[in-house]
Amino acid sequence: MQQINFNAISVDQVSIPLLKEKKVELDVLRLDKMHPEISGNKWFKLNLHLEQAKKENKKTILTFGGAWSNHILATAAACNLHQLESIGIIRGEESAALSFTLQQAAATGMKLVFVNRTDYRDKIIPASLHNCDYYHINEGGFGEIGATGAATILNYCNKEAYSDICCAAGTGTMTAGLINASVASNSITAISVLKNNFELEEKIKSLVTNQQQRFSVIHDYHFGGYAKYKPGLIRFMNGYYSHTNIPSDFVYTGKLFFAIDDLIRTNYFAPGSKLLLIHSGGLQGNRSLNKGTLIF
Ligand SMILES: *Cc1c(COP(=O)(O)O)cnc(C)c1O
């Protein structure tokens, strides 16, 4: 298993005509480059959990996810690196053809246990695992420990330099971590990738330790819902790649880049703003798209 390469993380400056026109500067923190499987925010969200599990002498990590989950693959790979066993409770019956993500998770040593959608929703642990002494991590890594780990993402940039820090949000754990690590001059903008997930603000607040910090959640760029997309998103992602050389994924970072581009266009950010976008990884999920859909 390949080690995580923190030296590969870079801050890339984007220069496209729109930014010049609107007098906005934009950098991208490239967490996607640190590892092919444990990419982006997932390592930061998992790391303290794995350390805690070891402290508690647990040998096995158990968590939940869907067939294309970045969290599932990252957990499998991170456990492999930490020499921990991993169990993934997977939503839906086992299909004859496993997704690429699940094939890789299994190849990395994760034991996959499939449960029906109702049991998955209720987070029911199958009876076959009741005797197993595992350390539990929430679906998507939601929670305080994940947020504490995610706060260290900002160690990889000069946060004082930015007026705005922008990220994609699923559970909001990374967003909370960024808020907790930010300085007073930063304002955090999270793009929700789920449809009408209006509880997200409260969930983020439940993990935030510096309550006076400014943040906003924008709900207008979900493209139909979680892991849904429209041709316009794919076109944008291909265009963004050809202009900036930065690849994105259609579940999270594609929606983030699209949203921020649109918000800059519509003068959401004042002239003189300096934005940092968190490239939170997740590129492996693009393998669920038909070949040729994306140019990268
Ligand atoms: C999981 C994930 C997110 C969302 O992180 P949360 O902490 O759940 O909000 C964002 N981007 C990528 C690429 C992810 O895999």
Side-chain angles (χ1 to χ4, degrees):
M1 169 69 52
Q2 193 178 319
Q3 293 296 318
I4 296 167
N5 183 6
F6 297 99
N7 294 327
I9 298 173
S10 62
V11 176
D12 294 1
Q13 187 178 9
V14 171
S15 57
I16 49 175
L18 172 69
L19 296 171
K20 213 170 192 172
E21 181 198 325
K22 298 291 185 182
K23 299 194 170 49
V24 168
E25 287 180 59
L26 194 157
D27 289 350
V28 179
L29 181 62
R30 298 289 305 276
L31 304 179
D32 56 308
K33 290 158 69 182
M34 57 199 275
H35 195 276
E37 282 110 27
I38 323 174
S39 77
N41 66 2
K42 294 298 183 277
W43 183 87
F44 291 93
K45 287 168 62 178
L46 286 168
N47 182 37
L48 297 179
H49 278 297
L50 302 191
E51 284 178 10
Q52 183 59 27
K54 283 188 187 168
K55 269 190 212 141
E56 293 177 19
N57 270 322
K58 306 277 186 186
K59 306 257 178 301
T60 305
I61 304 291
L62 177 142
T63 194
F64 295 83
W68 292 98
S69 164
N70 295 328
H71 170 69
I72 282 290
L73 180 55
T75 303
C79 285
N80 185 306
L81 277 182
H82 281 258
Q83 285 156 352
L84 289 160
E85 305 284 321
S86 61
I87 301 173
I89 310 283
I90 310 299
R91 179 181 51 229
E93 306 300 338
E94 182 164 7
S95 66
L98 279 188
S99 70
F100 178 80
T101 306
L102 294 183
Q103 284 178 40
Q104 269 208 315
T108 311
M110 181 176 261
K111 176 177 166 170
L112 304 176
V113 180
F114 293 84
V115 299
N116 67 46
R117 282 165 192 273
T118 322
D119 285 359
Y120 185 87
R121 192 193 57 216
D122 299 336
K123 299 292 172 290
I124 291 174
I125 307 285
S128 62
L129 297 173
H130 285 179
N131 292 327
C132 176
D133 181 30
Y134 54 77
Y135 178 97
H136 169 265
I137 299 178
N138 288 334
E139 178 182 35
F142 175 77
E144 219 168 285
I145 294 179
T148 305
T152 62
I153 288 173
L154 292 186
N155 295 349
Y156 293 86
C157 67
N158 175 20
K159 60 189 174 190
E160 287 79 9
Y162 300 101
S163 58
D164 298 87
I165 298 176
C166 311
C167 68
T171 66
T173 305
M174 168 173 60
T175 308
L178 296 172
I179 294 168
N180 291 342
S182 62
V183 292
S185 53
N186 302 145
S187 159
I188 313 292
T189 300
I191 305 302
S192 172
V193 303
L194 278 75
K195 185 176 178 179
N196 302 342
N197 183 23
F198 299 122
E199 299 149 22
L200 184 56
E201 275 95 334
E202 284 309 312
K203 285 191 153 172
I204 293 170
K205 272 190 199 150
S206 74
L207 303 177
V208 165
T209 50
N210 54 348
Q211 296 290 347
Q212 70 286 357
Q213 190 61 318
R214 284 169 298 161
F215 80 94
S216 41
V217 178
I218 297 183
H219 293 277
D220 304 332
Y221 297 97
H222 56 72
F223 285 89
Y226 182 71
K228 301 261 181 7
Y229 63 96
K230 301 208 160 68
L233 178 64
I234 302 295
R235 256 197 317 275
F236 173 85
M237 288 164 61
N238 281 330
Y240 209 75
Y241 180 76
S242 55
H243 291 118
T244 65
N245 235 3
I246 301 178
S248 54
D249 77 294
F250 75 97
V251 182
Y252 293 101
T253 54
K255 292 179 185 179
L256 168 68
F257 292 156
F258 184 101
I260 298 305
D261 190 84
D262 194 51
L263 291 169
I264 293 171
R265 238 169 253 288
T266 51
N267 304 316
Y268 179 88
F269 298 101
S273 298
K274 185 156 182 178
L275 276 51
L276 178 74
L277 271 58
I278 310 296
H279 194 318
S280 41
L283 297 174
Q284 67 89 24
N286 286 341
R287 305 217 198 191
S288 70
L289 299 171
N290 288 331
K291 259 205 164 75
T293 305
L294 294 168
I295 59 171
F296 49 87

